[in-house]
């Protein structure tokens, strides 16, 4: 459908997801629910290995919540869909790599979406902020995530003042992996996606579950769950063909062939 607010493109095991809601790519309840279904299908499709999320146009990645839709009746605590706001923040067992390609303004809920991905690439002109303080509300997901990702005082500065960071400062504080010329952004995102597509999907799944588990646990508690195979993805990995394939390929001095099983 040409009028959908979310465009998708698939090549091999890579899914590209583009927020396409002119003028600013803001997200209303309907768009969020569409995104949730897209990422749920991505999660459940074993032939898909990696996703890229970006915004349409040269100016906006996503400013987050659509305030015009809110003014027209969309409730801030309404039904965002299966994955919460933006489709992935609260989607359980999303154990595949996701790359954010930030092509412009990334603020509010748009930044929260970016923080839900695993790698963040930014165009040179990209900017970042959490301006919710100015509209009298709380950047809830960012308040949870950002102080764990960057220095506490920088995170609190962003949350309490709503000030804007350019791509260079975002990179300096560590929540942007790479800065690229605008015309190189998607090319680089696809390069990374192809690299990840060629990797071991069961290992990626285990990495993501371990990282999530460790976020709210003591080191030894998480290690015990790993060694006792109490994490689903780790248990699957340790009993898999791919786990044996890695050792065999090393011993035979060849590239491994990952089957995801």
């Amino acid at each position: 459908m040409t009028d959908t607010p979310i465009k998708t493109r698939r090549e091999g095991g890579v899914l590209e997801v583009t927020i396409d809601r002119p003028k600013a790519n803001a997200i209303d309840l309907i768009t969020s629910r569409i995104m949730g279904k897209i990422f749920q299908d991505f999660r459940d499709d074993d032939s898909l290995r990696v996703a890229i999320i970006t915004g349409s146009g040269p100016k906006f990645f996503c400013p987050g919540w659509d305030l015009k839709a809110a003014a027209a009746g969309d409730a801030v605590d309404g039904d965002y869909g299966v994955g919460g706001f933006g489709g992935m923040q609260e989607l359980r067992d999303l154990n595949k790599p996701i790359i954010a390609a930030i092509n412009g303004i990334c603020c509010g809920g748009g930044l929260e979406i970016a923080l839900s991905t695993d790698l963040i690439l930014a165009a040179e002109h990209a900017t970042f902020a959490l301006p919710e303080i100015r509209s009298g509300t709380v950047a809830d997901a960012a308040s949870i995530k950002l102080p764990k990702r960057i220095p506490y005082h920088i995170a609190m500065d962003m949350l309490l003042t709503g000030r804007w960071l350019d791509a260079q400062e975002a990179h300096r504080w560590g929540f942007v992996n790479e800065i690229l010329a605008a015309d190189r952004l998607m090319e680089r995102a696809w390069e990374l996606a192809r690299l990840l597509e060629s990797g071991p999907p069961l290992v990626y799944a285990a990495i993501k579950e371990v990282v999530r588990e460790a976020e709210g646990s003591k080191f030894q508690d998480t290690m015990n769950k790993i060694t006792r195979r109490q994490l689903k993805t780790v248990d699957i990995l340790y009993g898999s063909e791919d786990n044996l394939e890695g050792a065999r390929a090393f011993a035979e001095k060849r590239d491994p062939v990952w089957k995801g099983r």
Side-chain angles (χ1 to χ4, degrees):
M1 295 174 60
T2 58
D3 60 346
T4 179
I6 305 297
K7 303 292 193 298
T8 60
R9 176 166 73 98
R10 175 177 179 164
E11 288 188 15
V14 180
L15 178 69
E16 181 182 285
V17 179
T18 303
I19 307 168
D20 186 18
R21 290 195 76 227
K23 299 179 180 179
N25 297 332
I27 295 174
D28 61 1
L29 290 178
I30 292 174
T31 302
S32 183
R33 291 195 290 267
I34 293 170
M35 294 175 74
K37 183 63 167 61
I38 287 170
F39 283 107
Q40 182 182 51
D41 290 346
F42 165 70
R43 179 196 66 186
D44 296 340
D45 186 340
D46 290 340
S47 67
L48 286 172
R49 300 288 182 87
V50 187
I52 300 167
I53 183 166
T54 191
S56 66
K59 187 174 181 181
F60 290 95
F61 169 71
C62 176
W65 179 235
D66 186 339
L67 293 179
K68 290 183 179 179
D74 266 12
V76 69
D77 58 350
D79 178 12
Y80 290 110
V82 65
F85 181 80
M88 72 176 83
Q89 295 194 80
E90 300 174 55
L91 186 59
R92 295 177 63 85
D93 301 322
L94 184 52
N95 292 326
K96 298 177 180 180
I98 302 176
I99 301 165
I102 309 301
N103 56 302
I105 292 171
C106 176
C107 64
L111 180 51
E112 292 176 333
I113 290 171
L115 291 171
S116 299
T117 67
D118 304 297
L119 297 168
I120 301 178
L121 309 181
E124 291 172 328
H125 67 284
T127 53
F128 303 84
L130 294 167
E132 283 87 344
I133 189 73
R134 297 173 187 173
S135 58
T137 189
V138 61
D140 45 15
S143 297
I144 297 168
K145 293 178 180 179
L146 198 60
K148 298 177 180 179
R149 309 287 178 83
I150 66 175
Y152 172 85
H153 296 98
I154 304 304
M156 293 304 289
D157 181 12
M158 292 182 68
L159 288 161
L160 295 174
T161 70
R163 79 174 181 91
W164 287 84
L165 276 62
D166 60 21
Q168 290 70 29
E169 185 174 2
H171 182 265
R172 184 163 74 247
W173 296 125
F175 66 84
V176 165
N177 293 87
E178 298 180 35
I179 302 172
L180 300 127
D183 60 0
R184 269 277 292 150
L185 179 66
M186 294 310 296
E187 180 183 353
R188 178 57 178 151
W190 274 87
E191 286 175 0
L192 276 175
R194 291 298 188 203
L195 174 65
L196 295 173
E197 180 190 20
S198 69
L202 297 184
V203 178
Y204 293 154
I207 289 170
K208 290 199 68 170
E209 185 176 21
V210 168
V211 168
R212 284 198 308 272
E213 183 70 24
E215 197 168 33
S217 304
K218 294 180 180 178
F219 171 82
Q220 196 57 54
D221 290 341
T222 304
M223 284 300 301
N224 289 341
K225 288 184 177 181
I226 294 170
T227 57
R228 295 167 186 167
R229 293 172 62 161
Q230 293 175 341
L231 300 178
K232 181 180 178 181
T233 57
V234 173
D235 185 50
I236 291 172
L237 172 65
Y238 285 174
S240 69
E241 292 180 35
D242 277 4
N243 197 233
L244 292 174
E245 169 64 8
R248 287 171 179 160
F250 178 81
E252 295 167 10
K253 298 181 180 179
R254 60 173 175 82
D255 291 333
V257 178
W258 308 117
K259 297 179 180 178
R261 60 176 187 266

